[in-house]
């Protein structure tokens, strides 16, 4: 069975990590009742009606979630009793998916079975390039839009107000869809009109459609 945490063990509770991981243990247990499971114990729960997974050194009993998983039961059963960190992160699960995890949390992977340096997923250069383009492209697009608009409408105050309204809607939308990056928790911040807006790749991707919408809107004559 799981081993109670002793005083010499490192407490991983409450530590915000760079993976955008949800902090479960602080909500579910106190320091003294964190359960530690060995890899051997976890491996035993590898059947389609009994599935435990390790994600970022945390142990989840997801048996009751199998049928609800939007990505299907099969992918979860394939990972049963093992470390699913990499597959979980590869899919690029949303913040909602990460929050869902909380209710299935049962404990921590035993310290002796943890990989040195933690289970940080190494991102391929392809992923970094994708993240760079996801984050930088819409910002450049928005700046270009703004410059074009200022250039074309400098003599039209109504046009400027119209544009500002679109811009604010755009910013609001980004705030609404603010997430930490589903693969590494990375945030990008931009400063606009005194308000700090946090962008994640997901929010940025969402903003693409808004940028295009704004572009369409700006190409129409401003409302008078
Ligand atoms: C046990 C923890 C897991 C939870 C709570 C979870 C939750 C979710 C949720 C809520 C979604 C809907 C999309 C989203 O919100 O991101 C999803 C989609 C998906 N998940 Fe999971 N998931 C888990 C583990 C995994 C694992 C280990 C794999 C891979 C082996 C996986 C593969 C997928 C796939 C392929 C999709 C569909 C993505 C798509 O259609 O865009 N999931 N999951």
């Amino acid at each position: 069975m799981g081993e109670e945490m002793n005083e010499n063990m490192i407490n991983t509770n409450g530590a915000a990590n760079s993976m955008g991981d949800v902090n479960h243990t602080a909500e579910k247990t106190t320091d003294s009742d964190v359960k530690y499971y060995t890899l051997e114990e976890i491996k035993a729960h590898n059947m389609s009606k009994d599935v435990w997974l390790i994600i970022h050194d945390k142990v989840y009993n997801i048996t009751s979630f199998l049928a609800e998983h939007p990505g299907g039961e099969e992918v979860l059963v394939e990972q049963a009793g093992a470390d699913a960190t990499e597959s979980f992160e590869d899919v690029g699960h949303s913040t909602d998916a990460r929050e869902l995890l909380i209710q299935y949390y049962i404990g921590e992977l035993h310290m002796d079975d943890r990989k040195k340096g933690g289970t940080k997923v190494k991102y391929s250069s392809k992923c970094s390039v994708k993240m760079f383009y996801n984050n930088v492209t819409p910002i450049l697009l928005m700046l270009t839009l703004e410059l074009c608009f200022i250039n074309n409408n400098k003599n039209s105050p109504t046009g400027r107000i119209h544009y500002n309204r679109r811009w604010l809607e755009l910013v609001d939308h980004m705030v609404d869809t603010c997430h930490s990056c589903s693969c590494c928790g990375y945030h990008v911040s931009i400063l606009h009109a005194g308000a700090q807006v946090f962008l994640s790749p997901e929010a940025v991707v969402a903003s693409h459609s808004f940028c295009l919408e704004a572009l369409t809107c700006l190409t129409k004559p401003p409302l008078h």
Side-chain angles (χ1 to χ4, degrees), residues 15 21 53 55 58 76 82 119 132 146 163 166 185 192 200 217 219:
D21 205 6
L53 290 184
I55 297 175
K58 297 185 189 304
L76 299 181
T119 53
F132 176 80
E146 182 150 33
Y163 171 71
R166 295 297 314 168
H192 182 77
S200 70
C217 178
T219 53

Side-chain angles (χ1 to χ4, degrees), residues 16-33:
N17 71 33
S18 62
M19 310 301 292
D21 205 6
V22 181
N23 175 10
H24 317 331
T25 49
E27 288 172 31
K28 280 250 168 186
T29 59
T30 61
D31 285 359
S32 58
D33 60 10

Side-chain angles (χ1 to χ4, degrees), residues 31-78:
D31 285 359
S32 58
D33 60 10
V34 172
K35 286 251 184 187
Y36 278 78
Y37 296 97
T38 64
L39 211 46
E40 278 309 304
E41 287 170 323
I42 298 162
K43 271 184 192 163
H45 301 270
N46 65 350
M47 284 153 274
S48 59
K49 295 284 171 266
D50 177 19
V51 177
W52 287 17
L53 290 184
I54 306 163
I55 297 175
H56 292 301
D57 294 333
K58 297 185 189 304
V59 185
Y60 301 93
N61 178 350
I62 54 148
T63 313
S64 61
F65 174 68
L66 294 176
E68 291 168 37
H69 183 225
E73 192 165 328
E74 206 173 304
V75 285
L76 299 181
V77 176
E78 270 169 22

